[in-house]
Amino acid sequence: SSKFNITPLEQWSGVKTKPFIITGPCSVEGEEQVFDTVRQLIENAGDKIHLIRGGIWKPRTRPNSFEGVGEIGLPWLKSVGKEVGLPVTVEVANPEHVEAALKAEIDVLWIGARTTVSPFAVQEIADSLKGVDIPVLVKNPVNPDLELWLGAIERLNAVGIKKLGAIHRGFSSYEKTAYRNPPMWEIPIELRRRYPEIPIIVDPSHMGGSRDMIYTLAQQGMDMGFDGLMIESHRNPDKAWSDAKQQVTPQRLAEILNALIVRQPKIATDELQPLRDLRARVDRIDDYIIELLSERMGISEQIGTLKKVNHLAIHQSERWAYIVKRALEKGRTGGLTEEFLLKLFQQRHNESIRHQSNVMEK
C-alpha cells in the first residue's frame, strides 16, 4: 500500500467542523439559472454551505443528451462564487477541461466516476496538474473496486497534489435495487480503515437517484463518521436539464442540513464506560468466532482428504443447499437477515473450498 502525503481538509478548506457541504445544480444551464439557484442556496442555508458545485461538461450515457454548456459556463460559476463569497468546483474529464478550469480560476476540481474507472484518463489529468496547487476530489469508480479508487488518488498525489479527497457516490449494480447506485458502505469504510487521512465526502444524490432518499443516505453518511456531503440542488428540480429526480430545492436542502445529526467519530471522555464494556465483549466474541472458523477449516481439510481418497468432487450441491437452508432457518430466530447470512456463509464456503483445494493439489 502507498503512503499518501495529504493536506487535511480543514487546513485547505478553512472549515473546522463537520460536515463539509458541497452543493449546487447538477448542470449549469445558463447564467441566470446558476445565479438564481446559488442565491437561493445562500438565502436558505448559507451558513452551512462551504463549496458551490456546477456541472459544465456532463458525460452522458447516451448521445443526444444534454452534455453541458461547456467552457462558456465557467465564468458564470466563478462569478456567482465571488458574489456569495464561496469557492466553486467543476468536474474535469481530460487535460483540456483542466486547462479551461484553471484559466477561469476555478477553486476546486473533481474527477467523476466514469473517469476514475480509466487509469489512462486519470494519469493524463494528473500530468496536466503537475506543479499546480489546487484541491482535487476523486469520485469512486462506477464499479465497486477500491484499488481503482485508491489508484486514482495515488496518481494525483504522485504529481504533487496534496489537497485531496474522496467522494463516495455509490456503485453500479447489475441487480435491481432501490438505489440508483447502491452505497456498499463496506468499500469506503475499508478506505477509511487503510487511509484515515483521506477525507471522504458522501454523495447521496447519485446513490439514491431520488430526492426522497437524500436525507436518509446523508444521515447514514454522518452515522459512518464521514467528513461531508455533496448534494445537488436546483431552483426548480423538476425542470432541470439533467438528473431532475435527484435534485432538491434550496429550501429542501436547508431542511435536510438542519435535520442532520452529526456523530462524534471518537469517544472524547471517560463517561462512556458502558460502551467500552460492550466493545470488550464484542472483541471476545470476535476472537471466539475466529478460533471456531480456524477449527472449522481444519475439519474442512480432513473432509478434503476423504474426498481425495474417494474421488469425490469438492463442491457437493445437495450438502451446500442443506447448509444454506439450515442457516437461514436458524438465523431468522436470531433476527439475522437473509442477505447477511447468504453473504457470510458464501464467504465461509469459499474459504472451505480453498482449504480443500489445497489438499487436493498436494
Side-chain angles (χ1 to χ4, degrees):
S1 61
S2 300
K3 296 289 185 181
F4 289 102
N5 182 9
I6 291 181
T7 303
L9 174 63
E10 60 268 21
Q11 287 188 19
W12 63 259
S13 69
V15 179
K16 305 299 182 183
T17 58
K18 295 181 180 180
F20 182 78
I21 300 298
I22 307 169
T23 189
C26 174
S27 299
V28 172
E29 301 164 1
E31 185 173 12
E32 194 268 339
Q33 170 256 357
V34 71
F35 268 81
D36 188 28
T37 297
V38 173
R39 286 167 180 163
Q40 288 190 42
L41 283 167
I42 298 304
E43 180 182 347
N44 286 273
D47 60 330
K48 298 181 181 296
I49 299 170
H50 307 111
L51 181 61
I52 299 296
R53 60 149 289 152
I56 300 296
W57 300 280
K58 302 296 297 181
R60 311 310 294 172
T61 302
R62 302 287 294 274
N64 302 318
S65 301
F66 174 62
E67 296 183 328
V69 296
E71 191 172 338
I72 191 175
L74 291 171
W76 303 338
L77 190 63
K78 183 65 180 179
S79 294
V80 76
K82 287 182 177 179
E83 178 183 296
V84 300
L86 287 175
V88 296
T89 181
V90 298
E91 177 181 352
V92 293
N94 56 50
E96 290 74 24
H97 293 170
V98 171
E99 181 181 0
L102 294 178
K103 184 178 179 182
E105 299 182 346
I106 298 299
D107 304 285
V108 178
L109 306 179
W110 91 78
I111 297 177
R114 288 181 172 91
T115 306
T116 305
V117 80
S118 170
F120 290 118
V122 174
Q123 188 61 56
E124 288 179 353
I125 292 172
D127 291 340
S128 70
L129 285 169
K130 188 175 293 185
V132 179
D133 182 25
I134 189 170
V136 182
L137 304 174
V138 182
K139 285 199 174 186
N140 60 259
V142 174
N143 51 310
D145 188 336
L146 176 57
E147 301 305 322
L148 198 57
W149 195 3
L150 286 169
I153 298 172
E154 288 172 350
R155 291 174 187 278
L156 291 158
N157 202 212
V159 300
I161 301 295
K162 297 180 181 180
K163 300 171 183 176
L164 282 164
I167 301 177
H168 173 44
R169 47 83 80 189
F171 300 88
S172 64
S173 172
Y174 179 75
E175 298 176 355
K176 288 289 185 182
T177 73
Y179 306 99
R180 178 180 178 183
N181 296 292
M184 301 186 191
W185 294 109
E186 65 273 17
I187 295 178
I189 287 173
E190 176 61 12
L191 187 154
R192 172 56 51 89
R193 184 190 71 83
R194 289 203 221 172
Y195 301 104
E197 69 272 25
I198 300 176
I200 299 177
I201 309 296
V202 174
D203 178 354
S205 301
H206 280 87
M207 282 183 191
S210 166
R211 62 180 64 99
D212 295 335
M213 301 179 73
I214 289 177
Y215 170 73
T216 299
L217 289 165
Q219 185 60 63
Q220 287 177 10
M222 294 298 94
D223 292 346
M224 302 293 175
F226 294 138
D227 301 281
L229 300 167
M230 176 185 270
I231 300 176
E232 294 181 345
S233 181
H234 191 287
R235 62 176 180 176
N236 189 350
D238 289 331
K239 293 187 177 180
W241 294 1
S242 60
D243 290 343
K245 294 181 180 179
Q246 68 186 41
Q247 299 190 68
V248 294
T249 64
Q251 294 81 7
R252 176 56 185 154
L253 177 76
E255 293 172 358
I256 290 170
L257 297 182
N258 288 331
L260 285 177
I261 300 171
V262 181
R263 313 291 184 185
Q264 297 299 320
K266 298 179 181 178
I267 298 175
T269 70
D270 294 329
E271 297 175 2
L272 292 178
Q273 187 60 42
L275 178 59
R276 291 189 176 87
D277 294 341
L278 290 171
R279 285 178 170 176
R281 290 174 59 188
V282 166
D283 290 344
R284 288 195 295 272
I285 293 171
D286 285 345
D287 289 344
Y288 186 43
I289 290 172
I290 292 172
E291 291 170 7
L292 288 176
L293 286 172
S294 296
E295 180 181 348
R296 193 190 188 289
M297 293 310 152
I299 296 172
S300 290
E301 291 180 0
Q302 295 177 46
I303 292 173
T305 300
L306 289 172
K307 288 178 178 177
K308 181 177 182 180
V309 170
N310 292 278
H311 305 291
L312 292 173
I314 291 176
H315 177 63
Q316 301 285 315
S317 299
E318 291 184 3
R319 171 65 179 166
W320 172 235
Y322 167 76
I323 289 173
V324 171
K325 180 181 178 182
R326 183 170 178 270
L328 293 179
E329 289 174 351
K330 192 171 183 63
R332 290 189 193 101
T333 64
L336 302 176
T337 66
E338 182 174 310
E339 180 184 13
F340 166 73
L341 289 168
L342 286 173
K343 288 181 178 179
L344 175 65
F345 273 74
Q346 183 64 64
Q347 289 299 316
R348 197 216 61 197
H349 186 54
N350 291 343
E351 182 69 5
S352 179
I353 288 175
R354 186 182 71 81
H355 279 265
Q356 293 187 35
S357 296
N358 289 338
V359 171
M360 292 282 193
E361 292 169 3
K362 286 182 181 178

